[in-house]
Amino acid sequence: MPDPLLSAALAARENAFAPFSKFKVGAAIEDLDGHIHTGCNVENATYGLTVCAERVAVFKAISEGVRKFRRVAVAADTNVLTPPCGACRQILWEFCGDVEIVLVNLHGKTETYRLKELFPKPFDVSYL
Ligand code: THU
């Protein structure tokens, strides 16, 4: 039985706007009610304004009023599974805390982490 969160991340990857890198990424986030919010990377000709799939998914969910999350999936076409970049780890930490992160590729290979493993000493509101 396929995991709907992984299927959603893989489907979202198909919408990636990545004409510059050609590196397509999809993300899916499950909230505490079981709803899934998706995102893909959206690149920009100035390169630096590119937004990763993970942040698109988080910001879509936040903008719809969702505040509590259970799991995140990240899909890319790599043999060594693609993890969230540093900027996305920071955003994921602030909005999702120590969530489960599942990485997946097009062959269905998966690896599961807690965000704290990928981002062990985060800066956050507790320091302010
Ligand atoms: N990218 C993501 O969307 N998520 C990741 O986890 C890694 C990188 C995007 C940004 C850019 O559009 C492309 O992949 C190459 O870096």
Side-chain angles (χ1 to χ4, degrees):
M1 181 82 162
D3 184 333
L5 192 69
L6 303 187
S7 305
L10 287 161
R13 179 183 165 277
E14 295 299 317
N15 294 327
F17 182 77
F20 308 110
S21 73
K22 318 275 192 230
F23 191 83
K24 295 172 157 195
V25 184
I29 305 190
E30 182 185 321
D31 66 28
L32 281 198
D33 294 329
H35 296 125
I36 291 174
H37 310 266
T38 61
C40 62
N41 52 331
V42 182
E43 297 188 343
N44 186 272
T46 63
Y47 292 16
L49 292 179
T50 291
V51 186
C52 294
E54 296 90 326
R55 274 175 284 161
V56 170
V58 171
F59 292 155
K60 278 174 66 186
I62 293 292
S63 73
E64 289 174 8
V66 183
R67 291 292 184 273
K68 294 201 182 301
F69 304 96
R70 186 178 286 138
R71 288 196 303 155
V72 179
V74 181
D77 185 17
T78 55
N79 290 323
V80 176
L81 300 178
T82 298
C85 77
C88 289
R89 293 177 200 202
Q90 177 70 31
I91 295 293
L92 287 168
W93 177 258
E94 293 206 40
F95 288 112
C96 307
D98 192 21
V99 277
E100 186 175 296
I101 311 259
V102 186
L103 312 180
V104 62
N105 70 11
L106 302 196
H107 303 292
K109 178 183 174 188
T110 64
E111 287 170 8
T112 302
Y113 299 89
R114 303 299 299 203
L115 182 55
K116 207 67 188 282
E117 292 178 75
L118 302 178
F119 198 49
K121 194 163 173 55
F123 174 82
D124 61 22
V125 66
S126 69
Y127 290 92
L128 299 178

